Amino acid sequence: MSEKAKLIAEMLEMQKMFQDYEHKNGVDSAEYFAAKEGHPLFGYAQKYQDLANKVDAMAHEDKGSTRWFKSH
């Protein structure tokens, strides 16, 4: 499995965990963006964004294109 495929698989697992949690508990924006340590969503938004940025960069590299913006 390629590195990009592994990252996408991790993102899909994260999405499933989030959906399961949301259906059982509901989620507000504070929980999503600023959950406290020990909470199931602690660091979720940042980690998911980091993975998405990596996949995006890999896709651009594969196609020889460039991103129109820099995330950092």
Side-chain angles (χ1 to χ4, degrees):
M1 181 182 290
S2 72
E3 181 65 21
K4 185 168 62 172
K6 288 176 186 176
L7 293 173
I8 292 169
E10 185 175 354
M11 291 172 69
L12 291 171
E13 281 297 315
M14 288 179 70
Q15 287 176 357
K16 182 178 178 348
M17 181 279 299
F18 177 82
Q19 288 172 338
D20 290 345
Y21 181 86
E22 181 185 31
H23 287 140
K24 291 176 186 169
N25 305 294
V27 174
D28 63 26
S29 60
E31 241 179 325
Y32 183 80
F33 290 106
K36 302 290 183 212
E37 192 168 351
H39 189 283
L41 296 179
F42 176 72
Y44 178 89
Q46 185 62 55
K47 181 176 182 182
Y48 193 88
Q49 185 63 53
D50 291 345
L51 291 171
N53 286 339
K54 286 180 186 177
V55 170
D56 180 64
M58 289 175 169
H60 280 289
E61 187 176 312
D62 289 348
K63 294 295 180 184
S65 61
T66 58
R67 298 172 79 181
W68 63 273
F69 72 96
K70 299 279 186 196
S71 62
H72 302 289

